[in-house]
């Protein structure tokens, strides 16, 4: 079983010929409202691959709160640990997508989960303790995230921190992380090193391992990924696909990673799986909705 702590937001995305610059108005081509939030997307990715997953989050009792619950139930994600507060808003994200490259720019209002406290989750910690894997990001208040990572590690649960969006972390965080999965921009944030290729990713990964995490995977967008455990390195090229919307690619990757580890695949097999799951997600519009089902991966085997 995998536990995911994170947020749900309703993604409101606008697709058009470019991402508008400051002060500019453009005529777009399509809009879509669908499930998003890194934690929720990652939980969907795991569930669609066939993994048992619990989602820990907080939402409001509003229209988007209904979208959250419907999405989780439809995707067979366990909702026992979802806190619903009628006085708070469910999160939303405004997303601009450049339809030519699939690239995006995002503004997230996390809403209800920004008020999540240690006290609210204390009765749920048993589920994390009993899990094989604990996966989280940086969209939930940091004291809650740190506490859950610590509890997980103290109970021999494998931990994955997707450090997104990047922000300063107390040093203690790094002691409780088995897999640290920044994208290029986040890895630059944590190391101060510019990353545009495999060699630069290798240098950055050395610096990250020295911070205390056990394994690091830097995702490199359409250039693939770089993995290191400090001894062995693996570089994989991105899956060859026609990307139309890369929103949620990193989430698909983290979901695939958690699922591969759940199934005790080798690290190489796990990375190949995660890379494929992420690649396929870029061929579909949306974030949560773009997470592939396991049978969609067959043609890449
Ligand atoms: P994030 O979505 O967090 O910014 P990345 O952009 O690094 O993360 O993408 C995560 C993973 O998604 C990559 O490591 C790769 O496996 C896959 N991916 C992203 N963009 C593409 C693309 N254009 N073609 C194929 N795979 C992609």
């Amino acid at each position: 079983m995998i536990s995911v702590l994170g947020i749900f937001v309703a993604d409101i995305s606008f697709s058009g010929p470019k991402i508008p610059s400051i002060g500019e108005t453009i005529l777009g081509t399509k809009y879509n409202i669908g499930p998003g939030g890194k934690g929720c997307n990652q939980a969907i990715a795991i569930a669609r691959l066939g993994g048992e997953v619990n989602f820990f989050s907080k939402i409001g009792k509003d229209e988007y709160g209904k979208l959250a619950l419907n999405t989780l139930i439809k995707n067979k994600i366990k909702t026992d640990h979802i806190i619903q507060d009628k006085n708070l808003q469910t999160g939303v994200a405004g997303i601009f997508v450049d339809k030519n490259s699939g690239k995006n720019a995002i503004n997230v209002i996390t809403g209800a989960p920004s008020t999540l406290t240690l006290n609210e989750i204390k009765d749920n910690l048993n589920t994390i303790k009993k899990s094989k894997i604990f996966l989280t990001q940086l969209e939930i208040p940091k004291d809650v995230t740190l506490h859950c990572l610590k509890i997980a590690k103290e109970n021999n649960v494998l931990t994955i921190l997707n450090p997104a969006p990047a922000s300063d972390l107390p040093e203690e965080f790094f002691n409780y992380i088995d897999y640290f999965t920044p994208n290029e921009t986040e890895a630059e944030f944590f190391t101060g090193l510019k990353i545009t290729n495999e060699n630069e990713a290798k240098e950055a990964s050395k610096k990250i391992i020295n911070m205390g995490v056990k394994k690091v995977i830097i995702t490199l967008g359409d250039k693939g990924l770089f993995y290191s455990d400090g001894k062995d390195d693996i570089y994989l090229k991105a899956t060859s696909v026609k990307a139309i919307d890369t929103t949620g690619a990193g989430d698909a990757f983290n979901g695939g990673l958690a699922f591969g580890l759940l199934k005790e695949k080798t690290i190489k097999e796990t990375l190949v799986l995660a890379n494929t799951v992420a690649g396929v997600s870029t061929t579909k519009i949306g974030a949560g909705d773009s997470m592939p089902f396991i049978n969609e991966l067959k043609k890449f085997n």
Side-chain angles (χ1 to χ4, degrees), residues 272-289:
V272 168
L273 171 74
N275 195 34
T276 310
V277 174
V280 175
S281 80
T282 70
T283 65
K284 303 202 263 177
I285 302 265
D289 287 337

Side-chain angles (χ1 to χ4, degrees), residues 207-239:
K207 222 168 159 177
I208 292 171
I209 293 279
N210 283 336
M211 291 174 185
V213 307
K214 296 189 184 55
K215 292 154 196 204
V216 57
I217 304 164
I218 303 178
T219 60
L220 305 167
D222 59 7
K223 293 189 285 306
L225 66 97
F226 186 86
Y227 160 90
S228 178
D229 61 9
K231 285 207 278 316
D232 295 321
D233 297 341
I234 299 173
Y235 168 73
L236 292 184
K237 283 205 171 96
T239 318

Side-chain angles (χ1 to χ4, degrees), residues 97-114:
V97 179
D98 174 339
K99 70 170 182 172
N100 301 312
S101 67
K103 295 204 162 115
N104 59 50
I106 309 180
N107 181 344
V108 183
I109 311 286
T110 61
S114 66

Side-chain angles (χ1 to χ4, degrees), residues 273 276 280 292-301:
L273 171 74
T276 310
V280 175
F293 290 89
I294 196 148
N295 58 11
E296 292 176 78
L297 308 181
K298 280 197 190 117
K299 63 175 185 232
F300 294 94
N301 290 336

